[in-house]
Amino acid sequence: DDGEPLWPDKHDLEALRAIRSQIGEYPWASLFQQHPVPRGGRLFRSFARYDRLDLDGARIVLAVDPAGSASTKANRTVAVALAVRGYDDALTADLIGLRRLQLEPGDAAPVLHAFQQRYGEPLNIEGSRDGISQAKALHSIDPRLVINLVPALGDKYTRATPVSAAANANRFRVPAYAEIADMTDEDLTDYLAENGIKVRYLHSD
């Protein structure tokens, strides 16, 4: 069965659960279940949900995956705001803001600036070849944007593996009502307000 120890004298069930949460599904299936998962296989299960959000002690982190085109065949520009606690394997994150844009960079830049101003934190972008060029383009369009480039190590699948491990271990949560594919920043704002959750924005109108 999935998760059953193959060599219990070396790793009991409790130890295996800890290992699985740390290394992610792809290496877990290969190294500990003798059943490699295709790299095109599903990395993420359903997300954990929160009904009430407590921001005490959390730090706000913004991340953006920019797209270079408004074409309906292209990827969208996606920006997220996370309430983060802890570090490394103990890190947890709750989704508190989301923007999904299908715009040219010239139109996306002011929207991203407003998103950044709302939360008062820099925008983090992966420092891949495309990420660097898109960050430069966005900043040239709107110099008010504050952007941090985060080193990108390995291919996209490799970079997604620890993220999926955190999500599958319920260390990443979305609002209880949310359909992740359709959620907008405005939806989150309404949801938080309706539930009496006050979010302190550093540069809010």
Side-chain angles (χ1 to χ4, degrees):
D1 293 333
D2 183 34
E4 182 179 348
L6 301 178
W7 188 3
D9 291 340
K10 182 166 180 65
H11 297 296
D12 61 19
L13 186 57
E14 183 177 353
L16 287 174
R17 285 174 176 165
I19 292 170
R20 184 176 187 173
S21 70
Q22 293 170 6
I23 67 174
E25 295 302 302
Y26 177 72
W28 163 260
S30 300
L31 299 175
F32 291 91
Q33 293 294 289
Q34 302 296 302
H35 182 64
V37 175
R39 288 176 70 87
R42 185 178 180 184
L43 275 176
F44 293 89
R45 300 193 295 267
S46 59
F47 294 107
R49 308 285 174 146
Y50 65 81
D51 292 308
R52 302 284 298 175
L53 180 64
D54 178 11
L55 291 179
D56 288 344
R59 58 192 186 276
I60 306 302
V61 176
L62 308 184
V64 180
D65 185 7
S69 170
S71 167
T72 56
K73 294 181 180 179
N75 293 328
R76 286 186 169 94
T77 292
V78 179
V80 296
L82 304 174
V84 177
R85 291 182 175 84
Y87 296 89
D88 300 322
D89 294 337
L91 184 145
T92 64
D94 291 333
L95 182 68
I96 61 172
L98 176 68
R99 295 306 305 265
R100 298 169 71 243
L101 313 171
Q102 200 145 31
L103 299 171
E104 296 289 343
D107 296 319
V111 177
L112 292 175
H113 177 257
F115 187 81
Q116 180 176 43
Q117 286 293 99
R118 180 177 187 187
Y119 296 98
E121 298 293 337
L123 300 173
N124 292 285
I125 297 177
E126 277 189 339
S128 62
R129 181 188 61 187
D130 290 342
I132 292 171
S133 64
Q134 290 165 351
K136 289 180 178 178
L138 287 169
H139 191 264
S140 67
I141 294 166
D142 193 335
R144 299 172 300 171
L145 285 170
V146 180
I147 298 173
N148 287 337
L149 287 172
V150 180
L153 304 176
D155 61 19
K156 287 186 177 182
Y157 193 96
T158 301
R159 300 200 299 272
T161 298
V163 181
S164 69
N168 294 336
N170 296 330
R171 293 192 286 117
F172 173 77
R173 304 187 302 171
V174 301
Y177 82 97
E179 291 296 333
I180 193 72
D182 301 320
M183 187 164 47
T184 68
D185 194 52
E186 290 78 10
D187 292 335
L188 279 162
T189 300
D190 293 343
Y191 175 81
L192 296 175
E194 289 168 3
N195 286 274
I197 301 168
K198 295 181 180 180
V199 180
R200 178 174 174 264
Y201 303 119
L202 301 185
H203 299 283
S204 174
D205 292 333

